[in-house]
Amino acid sequence: MSSRERVLGRVRAALTDVPGVERPEDVPVNRDYLRVHGNRTPAETADLLAENLADYRAKVHRTDAAGLPSLIAELLSTHGSRTALVPPGLPEEWMAEAASAGVELLPDTPESTPAELDAVDSVVTGCAVAIAETGTVVLDAAPDQGRRRITLVPDHHVCVVRVPGQVVDSVPQGLERLDPDRPLTWISGPSATSDIELDRVEGVHGPRTLEVILVEG
């Protein structure tokens, strides 16, 4: 008997008392887990998000709407970016100062090849929701976020999160705001992996540098 046959045999044995007509949707799932761990004000939730993002080695910045364009321009300049990929729905005013400083704004187009995306210095996007308890930013390919690939290939990602409107405490709360039929990208810090000796390497399957801007108000 092969390993496959042994495993399938155990599965069949475990299912012997299950009626043949029963389907997964017929069985109620206990969902009495805690929806939120703790009692926080919106300001405390934003602080927790910033803390957990930083724990994942994301660079966290805080500003208001008036200061956002200059902060984006500063981050691109500090990174040495000459080009920035911009989704079609990103507010034009966000990139106004960067464009004035000489950064070339590139559109998100379906014709872009992986090599062309890899040559882009930075990408700037909005987000769908940010989850404080896990330090996670979720993108859903909305117009201000663009195609999933534009945040996976370029080496530097600047992601703007509106506070408090786009920030929730927990994963259950975040799921309630997301459409499961959309392409969801869950980001907790820059792309990273470790080998068998636990040597951490960043930028293997996504941006090496993630900068998150929390925009108050």
Side-chain angles (χ1 to χ4, degrees):
M1 180 180 294
S2 69
S3 297
R4 178 177 182 274
E5 290 169 335
R6 282 197 295 271
V7 170
L8 291 177
R10 291 172 185 171
V11 172
R12 294 188 192 97
L15 296 176
T16 53
D17 61 342
V18 177
V21 296
E22 185 176 284
R23 295 294 178 266
E25 56 268 24
D26 299 330
V27 181
V29 178
N30 184 8
R31 301 188 185 278
D32 60 353
Y33 46 76
L34 290 176
R35 285 178 45 80
V36 179
H37 299 82
N39 237 345
R40 288 180 289 270
T41 65
E44 290 170 337
T45 298
D47 289 342
L48 180 63
L49 172 64
E51 178 184 340
N52 286 334
L53 283 167
D55 280 346
Y56 280 121
R57 300 192 187 181
K59 299 178 180 179
V60 182
H61 312 273
R62 306 183 83 154
T63 186
D64 56 16
L68 179 59
S70 61
L71 178 54
I72 291 176
E74 177 187 341
L75 297 182
L76 296 179
S77 174
T78 300
H79 188 72
S81 301
R82 298 182 300 274
T83 58
L85 193 58
V86 180
L90 200 76
E92 292 184 10
E93 62 270 18
W94 287 10
M95 303 302 298
E97 292 198 28
S100 297
V103 177
E104 181 183 1
L105 306 184
L106 305 175
D108 169 21
T109 64
E111 295 79 20
S112 298
T113 66
E116 289 171 338
L117 291 174
D118 190 46
V120 173
D121 294 321
S122 300
V123 57
V124 181
T125 74
C127 82
V129 68
I131 302 171
E133 291 182 353
T134 59
T136 302
V137 174
V138 186
L139 312 182
D140 67 356
D144 66 339
Q145 299 151 53
R147 293 170 179 80
R148 172 184 284 172
R149 62 181 186 161
I150 72 171
T151 58
L152 296 177
V153 180
D155 201 49
H156 179 225
H157 181 193
V158 178
C159 183
V160 178
V161 178
R162 295 179 174 94
V163 178
Q166 292 184 315
V167 181
V168 298
D169 285 286
S170 65
V171 171
Q173 291 175 337
L175 288 172
E176 291 172 353
R177 296 195 181 194
L178 297 168
D179 181 351
D181 292 329
R182 296 188 65 83
L184 303 177
T185 305
W186 295 62
I187 304 170
S188 298
S191 164
T193 189
S194 296
D195 62 18
I196 195 171
E197 295 179 349
L198 300 182
D199 290 327
R200 178 182 170 101
V201 179
E202 296 180 351
V204 175
H205 40 65
R208 194 188 320 270
T209 303
L210 172 66
E211 305 209 52
V212 179
I213 302 176
L214 304 183
V215 182
E216 309 277 352

